[in-house]
Amino acid sequence: MRRGSELRKALAEKFDDELRFFKGWIDKPKAVGSIIPTSSITAKRMASVVDISSGLPVLEIGPGTGVITRAILGRGLPAAKLYAVEYSPDFVRHLRRNFPGVNVIEGDAFDLDATLGEDAPKRFDSVVSGVPLLNFPVQQRVAYIEDLLDRIPDGRPIIQLTYGPKSPVPPGLGNYSVKHFDFVIRNIPPTQLWVYRRGRGN
């Protein structure tokens, strides 16, 4: 009976997340890239780039309902070392309720100096990005990646998901390298993962 109860609770939470994500997509289709949340498989692949041993905090951009947030914490990162920037006030409330201790910040990912504020860390181990970059002009995407790379050590990654076949930030337009990381079929829609780096490890 207990196992059945736990299963029903898990299914109810998953449905609630998907409903919340769909509502977010209806309200702000440009800010939410898909009508359903990222799969747990994709989330674990993205979280795998985080180096817990670095001692540095991690920056997550566009956490949505928190599927990737959960995967990052699942690697052993203390909640206080995770900074999650989310544009949607509804998602922010959901994240703060479900992930106590995580630094959930409401604001614009394309203006991180203002969004993070003066008290936020100046350096992060890595960046996990779920921002739907294909909804924005190419030069804005390049500036976004360049800004994030300024916040992490040389050689450390930004991992970005996209539903298009190519990197959402083209190579050769700035001081960064582009590498395909994975293609996750078990995601709706199937997802491409890309890594951007600067300097060491290109």
Side-chain angles (χ1 to χ4, degrees):
M1 286 295 289
R2 183 180 177 185
R3 182 174 296 176
S5 176
E6 289 174 351
L7 178 60
R8 283 193 297 273
K9 182 180 178 183
L11 290 172
E13 288 174 353
K14 180 175 174 58
F15 178 75
D16 184 53
D17 278 355
E18 291 178 354
L19 193 61
R20 182 174 285 105
F21 212 80
F22 182 69
K23 181 181 181 298
W25 181 80
I26 291 292
D27 291 343
K28 296 183 177 69
K30 190 173 181 180
V32 179
S34 173
I35 62 172
I36 60 174
T38 303
S39 75
S40 60
I41 294 169
T42 302
K44 287 176 182 176
R45 288 296 289 141
M46 294 182 76
S48 71
V49 304
V50 172
D51 180 9
I52 304 299
S53 68
S54 73
L56 291 170
V58 172
L59 182 59
E60 182 186 8
I61 311 288
T65 60
V67 178
I68 303 171
T69 309
R70 186 175 293 110
I72 295 170
L73 296 175
R75 286 184 55 78
L77 184 76
K81 287 202 168 186
L82 179 56
Y83 287 75
V85 173
E86 174 55 52
Y87 185 77
S88 163
D90 287 340
F91 287 161
V92 167
R93 286 190 291 271
H94 171 79
L95 291 162
R96 287 174 177 165
R97 183 169 60 249
N98 286 276
F99 298 98
V102 171
N103 302 282
V104 179
I105 302 165
E106 181 180 342
D108 185 355
F110 293 93
D111 187 12
L112 281 177
D113 283 340
T115 297
L116 291 173
E118 295 182 359
D119 295 333
K122 305 305 178 192
R123 302 290 275 175
F124 296 89
D125 165 72
S126 50
V127 181
V128 180
S129 173
V131 172
L133 289 182
L134 292 179
N135 291 343
F136 300 90
V138 170
Q139 287 306 318
Q140 193 173 3
R141 302 178 215 167
V142 172
Y144 171 75
I145 288 296
E146 293 274 21
D147 179 41
L148 292 177
L149 285 169
D150 287 341
R151 301 172 190 275
I152 61 178
D154 281 357
R156 294 301 296 144
I158 299 165
I159 188 162
Q160 171 71 48
L161 64 77
T162 187
Y163 302 116
K166 297 180 180 180
S167 167
V169 185
L173 298 181
N175 182 22
Y176 57 86
S177 67
V178 180
K179 184 176 181 180
H180 186 252
F181 186 76
D182 204 353
F183 175 50
V184 185
I185 296 176
R186 293 177 66 182
N187 195 87
I188 302 175
T191 301
Q192 301 279 1
L193 301 180
W194 295 87
V195 164
Y196 307 91
R197 287 188 174 91
R198 182 181 287 160
R200 176 173 60 86
N202 278 9

